[in-house]
């Protein structure tokens, strides 16, 4: 089992009478991409602020790379963060900004210049290194912020909406980059772009009103092992009684307008989901049905709407993180 990069045990955070986090327990494995998902006011910014040492928990304990957040200064250069609304002084150049952040990691001289070249190449800004921050578009500023988190190859990177404002090309490129760096780095990412998180994250947690409503691998969250969604081609309508008899414990739901047939299997039924899915598809074909597409589990968006539905929670007051962090 992989070691934990981040551990929370029964963490609570109160702001007066408002409980922003309610007994959150969580382990984030090292060298993975982990998603933090939830509506506004769910406690995500509060959790980030606790992990970075900007806030103290009201109850419970946290460990980041094995130390308390209040001791992160002992991990110089090993933790980096990029809050959503971060900014840089408009009159400095990209190189000056990255030189400053690199110096915080303990880099200098040729080693620092080499690493600046590396991270600018990664975010496709090498030709802009002498440009001032005020000359950059919003998306380019965002990429500078991501570059600063990569300086020194930290063991943990915490990102809040890192692809917001990016064009599709650069957003896709950064998604691939985040996946690629997990040979050395743990990436904790929060985003409202659920389709992006679904393809990017190994595991995730969904927070609603300060509490965890579901956590685990992305397949676990999407219930990929217990639900199969089959879109039928045009033609014959399914005979649900025949299919139910062939599939035993599986529950069937059919929406005629969209020709969507959903199969829900019993968890821990003694059969693998692959075996159950194969049997189900074979029964459909034997019944003369044509199959247009098959999807394992729900989309992350559907799962999120089911778990986070209802009235939006009132956002708790939180201490805003520093513009950027390099520890």
């Amino acid at each position: 089992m992989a070691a934990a990069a981040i551990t929370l045990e029964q963490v609570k955070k109160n702001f007066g009478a408002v409980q922003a986090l309610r007994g959150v327990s969580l382990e984030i494995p090292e060298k993975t991409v982990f998603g933090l998902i939830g509506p506004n006011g769910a406690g995500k910014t509060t959790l980030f602020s606790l992990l970075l040492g900007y806030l103290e928990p009201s109850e419970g304990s946290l460990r980041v790379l094995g130390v308390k957040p209040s001791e992160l200064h002992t991990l110089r250069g090993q933790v980096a963060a990029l809050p959503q609304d971060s900014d840089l002084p408009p009159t400095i150049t990209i190189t000056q900004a990255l030189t400053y952040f690199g110096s915080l990691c303990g880099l200098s001289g040729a080693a620092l210049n080499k690493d600046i070249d590396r991270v600018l190449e990664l975010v496709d800004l090498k030709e802009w290194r002498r440009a001032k921050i005020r000359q950059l578009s919003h998306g380019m500023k965002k990429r500078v912020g991501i570059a600063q988190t990569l300086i020194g190859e930290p063991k943990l990177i915490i990102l809040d909406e890192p692809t917001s404002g990016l064009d599709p090309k650069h957003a896709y490129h950064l998604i691939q980059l985040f996946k690629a760096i997990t040979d050395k780095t743990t990436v904790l990412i929060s985003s409202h772009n659920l389709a992006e998180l679904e393809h990017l994250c190994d595991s995730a947690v969904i927070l609603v009103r300060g509490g965890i409503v579901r956590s685990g691998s992305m397949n676990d969250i999407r219930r990929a092992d217990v639900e199969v969604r089959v879109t039928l081609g045009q033609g014959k309508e399914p005979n649900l009684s025949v299919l139910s008899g062939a599939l035993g414990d599986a529950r069937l739901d059919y929406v005629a307008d969209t020709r969507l047939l959903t199969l829900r299997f019993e968890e821990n039924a003694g059969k693998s989901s692959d075996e159950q899915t194969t049997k189900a598809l074979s029964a459909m074909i034997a019944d003369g049905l044509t199959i247009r597409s098959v999807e394992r589990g729900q989309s992350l968006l559907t799962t999120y709407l089911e778990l986070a539905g209802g009235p939006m929670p009132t956002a708790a007051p939180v201490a805003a993180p520093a513009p950027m962090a390099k520890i």
Side-chain angles (χ1 to χ4, degrees), residues 12-74:
K12 297 180 181 180
K13 181 59 185 177
N14 303 325
F15 295 94
V18 177
Q19 196 168 43
L21 290 176
R22 298 187 279 182
V24 172
S25 295
L26 180 66
E27 278 197 0
I28 299 178
E30 65 179 7
K31 299 180 182 179
T32 61
V33 182
F34 192 94
L36 181 61
I37 303 167
N40 294 333
K44 303 186 300 297
T45 300
T46 298
L47 180 54
F48 276 179
S49 297
L50 289 168
L51 292 174
L52 293 169
Y54 302 143
L55 296 174
E56 291 285 337
S58 302
E59 294 182 31
S61 63
L62 303 86
R63 291 291 185 275
V64 177
L65 300 181
V67 306
K68 297 178 181 179
S70 60
E71 301 170 349
L72 285 182
H73 61 277
T74 65

Side-chain angles (χ1 to χ4, degrees), residues 100-116:
Y100 170 73
F101 285 112
S103 68
L104 295 180
C105 298
L107 297 175
S108 62
L112 175 55
N113 291 332
K114 182 178 179 180
D115 212 40
I116 290 174

